Amino acid sequence: HAGTRANATAQLHFGDDGALAISDLVVTGEGLNVRGGLSLDGDGKIVNVSLSDVRAGANDFAMNMEPLSGDGLAVRIQGKSLDATHFFADKKKVPNAAPPGDMDAELQRPLSLSAKVDRLVFHDNVGFRDVTMAVSFAGNEKLTGFNLDAIGTGKGKISGHMEVVKGMRNLSLD
């Protein structure tokens, strides 16, 4: 699958200890517009990523990402639209596709994701509106937190949460 031609400009700041800060990052291309910056420490690990504008396809949001204390990443997304079809796509529709990899293979480290978007797209025209959600995983894909408030594809409100009772994770959706 071929990529899209894009242009990028940025200010690079090199630290004495090998750290790198990229500011005033602007990436533009057909159907693509990203603005923001990021910082890496001397070992090349993420210190922070702050993107004030991410527009690509159905995506239109701002994002901040930073390491969690200890290990893992915290990601915050806010904006008009977040396209999650990659996670919910119908794999049968892709002819001659390579077999899908292990979906959880990349979740070896803790992850905390929070999002507040006007629209969350799951598949074609299926999605939620007025979404506020938070999902967290411990290392090795263990779900440790889940909260969701949204308006569904019909007119109904959708709420979900997870609680741990006597060591058992209980997930509920209303």
Side-chain angles (χ1 to χ4, degrees), residues 101-109 140-141:
D102 183 358
M103 291 293 287
D104 295 328
E106 297 179 20
L107 291 175
Q108 300 303 310
R109 297 178 13 192
N140 298 316
E141 303 91 36

Side-chain angles (χ1 to χ4, degrees), residues 107-123:
L107 291 175
Q108 300 303 310
R109 297 178 13 192
L111 174 67
S112 172
L113 171 67
S114 61
K116 184 172 177 65
V117 292
D118 296 342
R119 183 170 172 248
L120 178 61
V121 180
F122 294 114
H123 180 62

Side-chain angles (χ1 to χ4, degrees), residues 134-146:
V135 179
S136 57
F137 295 91
N140 298 316
E141 303 91 36
K142 182 178 179 182
L143 182 65
T144 57
F146 173 78

Side-chain angles (χ1 to χ4, degrees), residues 27-68:
V27 181
T28 57
E30 186 176 329
L32 174 67
N33 187 10
V34 177
R35 295 178 186 277
L38 61 109
S39 298
L40 304 173
D41 68 13
D43 295 325
K45 293 182 181 175
I46 293 172
V47 173
N48 72 359
V49 176
S50 181
L51 302 176
S52 60
D53 188 20
V54 177
R55 294 183 192 188
N59 290 307
D60 185 356
F61 60 83
M63 181 192 80
N64 287 304
M65 181 171 59
E66 58 192 23
L68 292 167

